[in-house]
Amino acid sequence: MAKKRLPVTRTPLITSWQWHATLFSILSDDVNAKKWIFSNYIQLRCYNIEEIFTGDDMLFADIMPGSSSLKECPYLITSLMTKEQIQSYCGDIVDFIIKTIDLGGYVYGVFDEAKILSDVEVDYKFPHELFIYGYDLEGEGFYVGDFTFKDKYAHNKISFEDVRKGYDVISAAEDHMFKDDYKGTRGLYVIFKNTDTCYYDVDTVLIRNTLREYLNSEDTKNHFRMMRNRFDDTTFGVEVYDKVLERINKQLSAEEPDFDIRALHIMYDHKVLMYERIKYLMANGYLNYDEELIDNYGEVVKNMLTARNLLIKISINEDVNEASRFKTYFNIAKEKEVAVLLEVLSRLDQRAK
């Protein structure tokens, strides 16, 4: 077969981080998968890390589950293939990816995108996750989903040779996906869609418990201590608003402001998912339909979108005079969200009695 593309959602519901964009590209439209999706992705967390590309201090924010969702989701079958396995099975990374796609498997892993982006040899690396879902033999290229090539999540085609070069030069230490999973090696994820059978139904107990943890800013990661050691400085739930605003205030007051918008992207996606979750719970009988409640949470989404867009505008124009407007929309989003989710939780608790 000269060309093959596995099914993907062209516009995933959320795209803040590559792991979310990948999972939602594969599963967004699936009826069974929505039962797992809307039972999860409730809790927010953030903590300080060293930015992998620059070494700068970074406030990392994400929705739980984060990158581990690719392994934990029951509607995906994920194998972690080491570089040694790939070499033994196929010898060549391009052949391995083509054979995997022929079997119905998506490929996800860290590649040096500096090698992919540049037509000339460069003396630096840009390790980034790449999602591969198809190939074109005649055009000698792979179909991929990624943030790098168009400054937003988009689907593109890149050459076999660029993929080969981008894969070969990444060491185990630079493969942050495997490193973050504490596997200590280099490799790729092979992902198969697994949605024909309902392995997971809507879990209203989990939804209620996690909503409570989110609203009370409780430490959700304590449930997962058996999987990995804990960070000491993690903030959870609505207190993430405070940490993000604290970091943005620091950026606004700097002599040369350097804005990191990523936390605002993840917070906006969190509101989009929560909005869709409330509608889903009502449409499927887990909550009584209430248009006013939906509209009230829609205001949360609008305010967070406006806040995010204002920060992007500030970062481009370097005009901090818009900062007060940004803070107003940001704080309104927090206030309205807490009010609506307290009501949602109350109604879910009442139905559980």
Side-chain angles (χ1 to χ4, degrees):
M1 186 181 295
K3 289 185 181 182
K4 183 167 184 176
R5 297 191 213 193
L6 300 178
V8 291
T9 301
R10 301 304 295 182
T11 308
L13 186 57
I14 65 170
T15 59
S16 302
W17 293 114
Q18 184 76 25
W19 43 88
H20 296 315
T22 294
L23 185 144
F24 280 80
S25 289
I26 300 171
L27 294 179
S28 276
D29 295 332
D30 189 84
V31 173
N32 281 333
K34 286 179 181 179
K35 299 174 183 179
W36 181 81
I37 287 170
F38 289 128
S39 297
N40 290 277
Y41 297 100
I42 294 171
Q43 182 65 295
L44 275 176
R45 61 174 176 171
C46 69
Y47 49 87
N48 294 311
I49 63 169
E50 181 181 292
E51 218 278 349
I52 61 173
F53 305 122
T54 64
D56 295 336
D57 179 56
M58 170 189 170
L59 182 69
F60 177 84
D62 201 2
I63 316 173
M64 295 177 68
S67 60
S68 60
S69 59
L70 292 172
K71 304 186 300 296
E72 294 164 356
C73 176
Y75 293 106
L76 297 176
I77 300 172
T78 302
S79 300
L80 276 65
M81 305 294 293
T82 68
K83 190 171 185 178
E84 291 75 18
Q85 286 176 298
I86 294 168
Q87 182 70 28
S88 174
Y89 297 156
C90 291
D92 179 66
I93 184 62
V94 169
D95 289 342
F96 175 81
I97 296 172
I98 290 171
K99 289 178 181 179
T100 298
I101 291 169
D102 281 339
L103 291 171
Y106 303 85
V107 174
Y108 178 86
V110 174
F111 294 76
D112 178 17
E113 296 193 352
K115 295 290 186 294
I116 297 170
L117 286 168
S118 179
D119 293 330
V120 298
E121 196 66 27
V122 293
D123 60 359
Y124 61 89
K125 293 181 184 178
F126 180 51
H128 196 270
E129 310 94 274
L130 190 67
F131 171 53
I132 305 175
Y133 63 89
Y135 63 76
D136 175 1
L137 293 180
E138 292 180 359
E140 296 188 350
F142 288 115
Y143 297 103
V144 304
D146 188 84
F147 287 94
T148 305
F149 308 115
K150 294 186 178 179
D151 294 326
K152 63 178 182 178
Y153 189 75
H155 294 105
N156 300 276
K157 190 169 84 169
I158 58 179
S159 74
F160 290 162
E161 186 55 31
D162 281 345
V163 168
R164 182 182 286 113
K165 289 190 298 183
Y167 176 76
D168 286 343
V169 300
I170 295 293
S171 67
E174 294 164 331
D175 189 342
H176 52 271
M177 287 302 298
F178 267 52
K179 182 178 71 174
D180 287 351
D181 290 332
Y182 300 98
K183 305 299 178 186
T185 187
R186 167 81 174 117
L188 295 174
Y189 288 57
V190 172
I191 305 170
F192 292 90
K193 195 172 180 179
N194 184 40
T195 56
D196 291 342
T197 301
C198 183
Y199 294 101
Y200 188 106
D201 210 343
V202 175
D203 189 340
T204 55
V205 173
L206 179 62
I207 293 170
R208 288 164 50 219
N209 289 346
T210 316
L211 276 174
R212 209 177 318 276
E213 290 170 343
Y214 175 71
L215 289 165
N216 295 331
S217 299
E218 293 177 10
D219 189 340
T220 298
K221 286 295 280 186
N222 261 340
H223 302 316
F224 306 101
R225 297 186 74 98
M226 77 294 290
M227 296 171 63
R228 61 182 63 180
N229 296 136
R230 290 296 319 280
F231 291 98
D232 295 327
D233 65 342
T234 306
T235 298
F236 295 90
V238 293
E239 287 184 6
V240 170
Y241 278 95
D242 304 327
K243 285 291 185 181
V244 170
L245 188 56
E246 179 184 314
R247 178 57 62 97
I248 292 169
N249 280 332
K250 184 178 178 181
Q251 294 168 340
L252 286 167
S253 62
E255 287 187 18
E256 296 182 6
D258 182 18
F259 294 99
D260 187 345
I261 312 294
R262 287 172 289 188
L264 266 292
H265 287 312
I266 198 69
M267 292 188 76
Y268 172 65
D269 273 0
H270 179 261
K271 310 316 163 198
V272 169
L273 265 181
M274 193 69 76
Y275 181 63
E276 294 300 322
R277 182 188 344 271
I278 292 170
K279 292 193 294 181
Y280 179 87
L281 292 173
M282 289 181 181
N284 288 275
Y286 299 100
L287 285 171
N288 291 332
Y289 181 76
D290 186 333
E291 186 172 357
E292 183 179 2
L293 199 65
I294 294 172
D295 290 343
N296 286 342
Y297 200 87
E299 289 299 311
V300 178
V301 178
K302 290 177 184 176
N303 277 279
M304 185 55 70
L305 176 62
T306 303
R308 186 200 69 178
N309 290 347
L310 275 170
L311 191 62
I312 293 173
K313 180 181 177 183
I314 292 169
S315 69
I316 293 172
N317 298 336
E318 299 183 356
D319 180 9
V320 297
N321 294 324
E322 294 278 16
S324 61
R325 289 184 64 220
F326 159 77
K327 294 175 188 177
T328 297
Y329 285 110
F330 188 79
N331 288 324
I332 289 172
K334 178 183 178 182
E335 180 182 345
K336 286 182 175 290
E337 180 178 51
V338 170
V340 174
L341 293 186
L342 281 170
E343 181 61 28
V344 169
L345 179 58
S346 175
R347 294 184 189 189
L348 288 170
D349 283 343
Q350 287 295 319
R351 291 178 71 93
K353 291 181 178 178

